[in-house]
Amino acid sequence: MASPLIRLVFLLTLTYSFIFSDTLAADSNDLKTYIVYMGELPKTDFSVASLHTNMLQQVTGSRASKSLLWTYKRSFNGFVAKLTEDEKNQLARMEGVVSVFPSRKKQLHTTRSWDFMGFPQDVKRAPLESDVIVGMLDTGVWPESDSFKDDGFGPPPAKWKGSCPSTNFTCNNKLIGAKYYNTEGEARDEELSARDTEGHGTHTASTVAGRAVNNASLLGLAIGTARGGVPSARIAVYKICFEGACADADILAAFDDAIADGVDIISLSVGGSFPLDYFEDTIAIGAFHSMKNGILTSNSAGNDGPSPGSITNVSPWSLSVAASSIDRKFLTQIVLSNNMTYEANCRYCEPDSLDPTLVQNKIVVCEDIEGPGNALLSGASGVVIDGDFGYEDLAFSYPLPTTYLSSKDGNAPDLTAPGVDILAAWSQATTVTGDEGDTRVVPFNIISGTSMSCPHATGAAAYVKSFHPTWSPAAIKSALMTTAAPMSPTKNTDAEFAYGSGHINPSKAVDPGLVYDAGEQDFVSFLCGQGYNATTLKMVTGDSSACSAATNATVWDLNYPSFALSAKQSGSISRTFTRTATNVGAADSSYQANVVAPSGLVAKVNPSSLAFKAVGEKQSFVVTVDATIGSDMLSGSLVWSDGVHKVTSPIVAFLS
């Protein structure tokens, strides 16, 4: 029997010979940009673009050609169109359509950081590192940076199918691809090319795979060798953000190309303001199709929180990364003498609130972290920020000398990586801050956020991939999580909601001993348990995936390297988890289970030992967790050890 999609194509082919009566021209004010997601590409040989046009003609009439903005046809099926609310609803009811949702705007979420992780410059490298291609979805890149020189690089790997069509841009054997996306035509004040005019994309790309650059610094700060995690890997750039905003339509277009181009890892330090349904979230959709093609997506967890629900990128088939500090702090002394005093005080230093005649060449005291830019425009020579804003662990860049006077010294994401005070390459099409009046153009800059931690995790994932090119995205993710350095819940009171499974350790992740592997069918079973129906999943996967009693798995059944249980109110709760470990260490090995748990949390493992006779062998076990949950989260762990490896998974119980 023909599939729903084939029947749809047949229907559209028949009806296309008739002349549709034109729909009334829609008022342009009523039109919004929508993404029509249709799942996996059809296996039949016909034009997907024609299908999309025919579908639009059914609901928009002669306006179809103007309505269609973009077609997704390389790695998955869908399109972008300008529609009214009624047209959007008509399309959503058509056979073959998984979801129709608005194209929202998402936001953009070193010398010392890699050493801080115990990952020195002379760490062991795999010969295949130069075959690893990292796809960077960001604000583009500054190709002239020393971090992207290709001295000594051979041609790109044969698997590379991408291109470098961008104007005002030259690729090389290090920076092998560059594309930009402006589906809705909204980038008016920024050059339409993959060239980075903001700095963010250059910073993240060089953190992942930048070449080692000696004597790098920001105006003398953090001087040393700036390098990426995999300096021999190739970089392919997909510019999805213009003027500080990243449109969903462009994010999905970049995923479509990156998967087809042949990248090995995808990195994007971008996210929305809140979690969305998996198939109305372009990052989750793109990451799902990446996973299907053996590509791990590394994305930032978001810059809110830490607290339950504060993470914005939540799909279990991608890697979400929190930001942690490193052993770096920039301190400034304020020295007062008879010749230097506070001449002006403006509480918030808002625009036009400073009298230039009073603050000219003076130090201004502001109770506002946004104040220095306004102070500069009024002629001040420096700013003291007076207040406790909770930013003790990071440094902001300002367009004039600034110090933070009265600071104190000093979502459950998958893991954490350095994201505070990170030095990396910067675009010379902008300044240190990008603020009006700032004239300092620099090749390296220091910034903070999960945008900076994400490329550290991406670099670590690429490093593991270079040693194990056949490992699945889930296996790489498991290796990174189970070898992460445990962090203290007493020092980090938000515990796993702040740091996930711990602080990333790339060197150990190459040899994790055991991994919790998962493939497409595992995630389909997970989605069945989340309430997605078989019809939707068949369109997404492009095969006969179905939900049944055997595949209707709960979230607790997903073969994930962590264990979490929650309750709506205080009291006792019990949960059973089934997991399967795959041996990637020595062929003949035996592991013993050890549970570390606080009072109120009891975990039993059956069996408590696992014996393997071959690499790739799988062994299943059951973990039963009983917890008495109060106001505080309970944090424990399960550690499988063979005397060499420690395969660690967090166990948490909390009020939801």
Side-chain angles (χ1 to χ4, degrees), residues 478-632:
S478 173
L480 292 169
M481 291 178 65
T482 59
T483 60
M487 301 180 76
S488 170
T490 58
K491 293 181 180 179
N492 304 272
T493 55
D494 292 297
E496 285 80 4
F497 285 126
Y499 53 70
S501 61
H503 202 278
I504 196 169
N505 190 325
S507 297
K508 286 189 176 181
V510 169
D511 181 24
L514 304 175
V515 294
Y516 295 85
D517 205 355
E520 180 183 353
Q521 187 54 54
D522 296 284
F523 293 115
V524 169
S525 297
F526 162 80
L527 290 168
C528 287
Q530 296 291 292
Y532 292 87
N533 61 52
T535 302
T536 296
L537 293 177
K538 285 180 180 179
M539 289 186 287
V540 171
T541 63
D543 57 29
S544 58
S545 300
C547 296
S548 64
T551 62
N552 191 22
T554 68
V555 65
W556 303 285
D557 296 319
L558 182 62
N559 201 38
Y560 210 74
S562 64
F563 306 87
L565 61 163
S566 63
K568 297 292 185 184
Q569 58 187 14
S570 299
S572 298
I573 185 172
S574 180
R575 188 75 66 197
T576 299
F577 304 84
T578 301
R579 293 289 187 269
T580 300
T582 302
N583 180 30
V584 294
D588 192 356
S589 56
S590 179
Y591 287 82
Q592 297 295 319
N594 180 44
V595 173
V596 179
S599 176
L601 182 68
V602 177
K604 297 178 180 179
V605 184
N606 185 29
S608 59
S609 63
L610 301 174
F612 298 91
K613 298 298 182 184
V615 176
E617 183 182 350
K618 298 178 183 294
Q619 295 279 353
S620 295
F621 60 93
V622 174
V623 179
T624 303
V625 181
D626 296 290
T628 302
I629 304 177
S631 58
D632 295 327

Side-chain angles (χ1 to χ4, degrees), residues 203-220:
H203 198 281
T204 55
S206 63
T207 301
V208 175
R211 300 193 67 175
V213 180
N214 296 326
N215 297 314
S217 71
L218 170 60
L219 304 174

